[in-house]
Amino acid sequence: MEQVSAAESDNWTMKVEDNATIIEYHGDISPEEGEAIVEEWQPLISEGEVDTHVLHLDADDHFDDETFGTIEQAGTLGLQHGVDRWAIVAGKTKTMAIASKLPDDIETYETDDLDDGLDWASH
C-alpha cells in the first residue's frame, strides 16, 4: 500500500494508504483526544478517495459512554464521506462492542490480526 498522509502522537498513529485510513491506538486515549483524532481524520476522508477505515486497538483502555459516542460520531462522519467499510482489529469483546456502535450502513470486519484487517481493507 502506498502511504499518502500521516499523523501521530505518543498514543496513536494515523495514515492513509491507498483507499483506507488506518488509525492504530497503542496507548490509552482520553475522550478529548479521541474527539481530536476524529477532527484530524475528517480532512483525510473528505477527498473522496477513501472508502475504508482500519481501526487497530492495541491498548487496554476501558470504553466509557464518551468513547462510544466518539465512535458513533466517527461512523456517521465516515458515512457522510463515503467511508462505509471498517476493519476493527482488537480483542473479540472490543470488536463486537465497537461494531455495535457503528451505523447499520457500515460493513464491518472484525479480527484480532492487523495483517488480516489490512488485507480485507485492500479488497
Side-chain angles (χ1 to χ4, degrees):
M1 289 186 172
E2 177 185 340
Q3 182 174 322
V4 176
S5 176
E8 68 181 293
S9 83
D10 291 339
N11 295 328
W12 57 271
T13 59
M14 179 185 314
K15 59 187 170 185
V16 176
E17 293 182 359
D18 297 331
N19 68 313
T21 55
I22 302 164
I23 299 178
E24 295 186 68
Y25 294 92
H26 38 268
D28 292 341
I29 306 291
S30 70
E32 296 80 20
E33 191 170 10
E35 290 177 18
I37 292 167
V38 172
E39 287 180 26
E40 287 203 38
W41 185 58
Q42 183 171 356
L44 298 180
I45 62 174
S46 295
E47 299 298 318
E49 296 176 13
V50 171
D51 66 1
T52 303
H53 178 59
V54 178
L55 176 62
H56 179 214
L57 302 170
D58 187 20
D60 295 327
D61 55 337
H62 172 72
F63 286 2
D64 56 19
D65 289 341
E66 285 183 86
T67 302
F68 281 124
T70 301
I71 291 167
E72 289 176 288
Q73 174 190 4
T76 300
L77 180 66
L79 276 179
Q80 292 170 354
H81 294 284
V83 181
D84 59 359
R85 301 174 70 235
W86 281 50
I88 305 164
V89 182
K92 186 163 183 70
T93 304
K94 279 192 179 171
T95 60
M96 291 172 42
I98 292 168
S100 75
K101 297 299 180 182
L102 294 173
D104 291 338
D105 293 337
I106 292 179
E107 177 186 358
T108 60
Y109 181 76
E110 301 164 31
T111 182
D112 63 356
D113 181 81
L114 180 57
D115 288 336
D116 191 33
L118 292 171
D119 184 56
W120 177 84
S122 69
H123 294 89

